[in-house]
Amino acid sequence: MFVLVQLIFKTHKYVNCWITGQGQDKNFYRENLRGINLQSANLADASFIGADLSEANLQDADLSRAKLKQTQLDGTDFTGATLTGAYIEDWGITNTTKLHGVRCEYVFMRLPTKEDPDPLRKPDNKQEVFADGEFADFIKPIFDTLDLYHNQGVDPRAVAIAFKNLAENHPEAELEIVAMEKRGDDKILLRAKTAAGSDKSQLSAEYFDDYNQLKALSQSQQLLLVEKDKRIISLENMVDTALKQPKFYNQGDTNMSDISGINIQGSSNVSGIAGNNSSSIANLGTISGNVSIALNQLPDAPDADKPGIKELLSQLQDAIIQSTYLPEEEKAEALEQVNTLAEAGKNPQESTKQKTAKTAITMLKGIFTGLPAVASLVEAGNKLLPAISKLFGLG
């Protein structure tokens, strides 16, 4: 009898949502809602923790502040839905989850607590929001990945050369590095997204055959293969950095035909498939390396006599590193702002990037304000920041 009452209650709850579209603040903890039609429903503040919403119709639904932790969303249609303020910790989106036209200004990567009611907000800057279409690009999950696990005495240079060779030998696989995570003291996982239908077993076998042969070479023999290839050098530095960090995570849209453009950043766990590193990278060398890699993504100025964003930011990076007046903690913060400008510099005329650049420049001015007037960094800042602002269309 009790089971029958429960079944009736559950059925009534779902039917009520279907008919009235009112599911606001409801708790659907671990419920099986596969295939449910909640189009245009009001589901604000609802909890779907552990629920199965696979193949559900959530078109134009309001999921503001909804708790979607570990929610199964295979084939779920979010077209036109609102996800602003949703909590998406370990949510189970797949390559069949439809996110077209999703309206979302910001999300949280963890569930709220009393101590932290807004955990791991994205975008990180609370003054910023996702522009139209940005959320889907940001949250695009790792659908089909090639996992290359190195478990003994990792050789960063051999990793870099082997991966570059693999990407060049298999352009159809569209390899993109999306994650790098240290495992234990000397083990590392390199994760790469692949094109649908790629034979990951074959790719893995070919990679490790090449890697093991390269690892057996002497350093001088490896150097002959590397020469001055910036793509290999960039990845080698990344792997070396990863091995020196407690945990390292990289998420970006780097096409491995140009590995020099890898964007390294601290990130939270997206879809439960990569290591979590919510703390900022404290090592100055690491941050400076991140800046250099980001700058490599920017085009060179067409006129050598008229430096562009890449050249100006490179000068600013050097001035910050060489400053004898700036404490290391503030150097790290300043370099983080330069990295932000480098990322924004990919699309300097976009309004959202201009806003980001303006904030970063303001932060840099604040950092430089406390320095003595004789400091070379003050002179460099006074010269470079206005020029950088102008290239971003900020006057």
Side-chain angles (χ1 to χ4, degrees):
M1 184 67 178
F2 176 70
V3 174
L4 180 60
V5 171
Q6 269 195 319
L7 180 60
I8 293 173
F9 172 74
K10 287 182 179 180
T11 304
H12 172 72
K13 179 167 58 174
Y14 304 155
V15 169
N16 184 56
C17 285
W18 285 327
I19 295 175
T20 68
Q22 295 299 314
Q24 185 173 9
D25 208 28
K26 293 288 191 298
N27 186 352
F28 298 97
Y29 178 75
R30 293 192 177 281
E31 297 287 4
N32 182 2
L33 304 176
R34 178 178 286 268
I36 194 171
N37 181 7
L38 293 172
Q39 184 173 0
S40 302
N42 179 4
L43 302 169
D45 299 294
S47 176
F48 293 96
I49 297 175
D52 187 356
L53 277 169
S54 297
E55 301 177 7
N57 180 0
L58 291 169
Q59 294 180 15
D60 300 312
D62 184 359
L63 289 150
S64 301
R65 301 173 301 281
K67 296 179 177 65
L68 298 171
K69 178 178 180 179
Q70 297 177 350
T71 308
Q72 297 307 303
L73 299 165
D74 182 38
T76 305
D77 191 349
F78 283 104
T79 301
T82 300
L83 287 171
T84 297
Y87 300 90
I88 60 173
E89 180 177 351
D90 297 340
W91 68 340
I93 53 178
T94 71
N95 61 340
T96 62
T97 307
K98 298 177 182 177
L99 298 168
H100 180 70
V102 165
R103 292 184 288 271
C104 181
E105 294 184 355
Y106 56 89
V107 291
F108 300 103
M109 309 304 293
R110 293 285 183 272
L111 288 179
T113 62
K114 290 182 179 180
E115 295 75 21
D116 189 359
D118 299 332
L120 289 179
R121 181 192 189 274
K122 298 294 176 182
D124 296 294
N125 187 341
K126 293 186 178 181
Q127 305 304 314
E128 293 182 3
V129 296
F130 291 117
D132 290 344
E134 279 190 347
F135 173 74
D137 292 336
F138 163 77
I139 208 64
K140 187 176 182 180
I142 303 170
F143 300 135
D144 201 2
T145 62
L146 171 67
D147 290 353
L148 302 171
Y149 182 62
H150 305 74
N151 61 1
Q152 288 183 346
V154 181
D155 184 331
R157 184 174 296 150
V159 170
I161 300 172
F163 196 88
K164 175 179 176 288
N165 290 345
L166 188 69
E168 291 182 345
N169 291 339
H170 295 277
E172 77 287 351
E174 300 176 7
L175 294 171
E176 301 175 25
I177 287 185
V178 289
M180 190 179 299
E181 182 182 350
K182 182 178 179 182
R183 300 284 183 87
D185 292 332
D186 61 349
K187 303 176 180 65
I188 195 167
L189 172 66
L190 184 70
R191 178 170 280 142
K193 189 170 74 171
T194 66
S198 297
D199 188 337
K200 294 189 288 296
S201 177
Q202 177 188 340
L203 291 171
S204 178
E206 183 176 326
Y207 168 84
F208 278 108
D209 281 346
D210 195 16
Y211 169 75
N212 288 327
Q213 291 180 39
L214 290 163
K215 190 177 177 182
L217 297 178
S218 66
Q219 291 292 308
S220 58
Q221 289 173 316
Q222 288 184 357
L223 283 172
L224 289 175
L225 295 173
V226 174
E227 294 182 345
K228 294 183 180 180
D229 194 321
K230 291 183 179 179
R231 295 171 297 174
I232 292 178
I233 295 170
S234 293
L235 181 53
E236 179 186 348
N237 290 337
M238 282 179 56
V239 177
D240 188 54
T241 298
L243 290 168
K244 293 175 181 176
Q245 294 296 324
K247 187 172 273 191
F248 179 96
Y249 176 68
N250 164 51
Q251 180 184 333
D253 298 323
T254 304
N255 190 308
M256 292 316 298
S257 63
D258 182 12
I259 203 170
S260 64
I262 293 172
N263 173 34
I264 308 169
Q265 59 186 12
S267 177
S268 57
N269 187 343
V270 180
S271 300
I273 48 184
N276 172 38
N277 181 13
S278 59
S279 61
S280 60
I281 302 173
N283 183 275
L284 266 181
T286 300
I287 299 174
S288 184
N290 295 349
V291 176
S292 297
I293 292 170
L295 288 176
N296 282 337
Q297 292 180 298
L298 301 178
D300 295 330
D303 187 343
D305 295 328
K306 295 181 180 179
I309 293 176
K310 178 178 182 178
E311 290 75 21
L312 294 174
L313 290 178
S314 293
Q315 293 177 42
L316 185 57
Q317 177 190 17
D318 291 341
I320 291 169
I321 293 172
Q322 295 169 14
S323 174
T324 57
Y325 289 96
L326 204 62
E328 288 208 356
E329 189 173 307
E330 292 188 15
K331 278 188 181 182
E333 175 58 30
L335 288 172
E336 291 285 10
Q337 300 306 322
V338 175
N339 192 54
T340 297
L341 287 168
E343 293 297 329
K346 297 173 188 175
N347 297 288
Q349 301 309 312
E350 284 188 9
S351 58
T352 54
K353 302 303 182 184
Q354 289 175 328
K355 183 179 179 181
T356 299
K358 185 176 181 179
T359 301
I361 290 171
T362 300
M363 292 288 289
L364 285 167
K365 288 179 178 178
I367 294 171
F368 299 163
T369 298
L371 296 176
V374 296
S376 59
L377 183 55
V378 172
E379 181 181 353
N382 290 338
K383 174 185 175 183
L384 297 172
L385 292 179
I388 294 168
S389 295
K390 186 174 182 180
L391 292 177
F392 275 101
L394 301 175

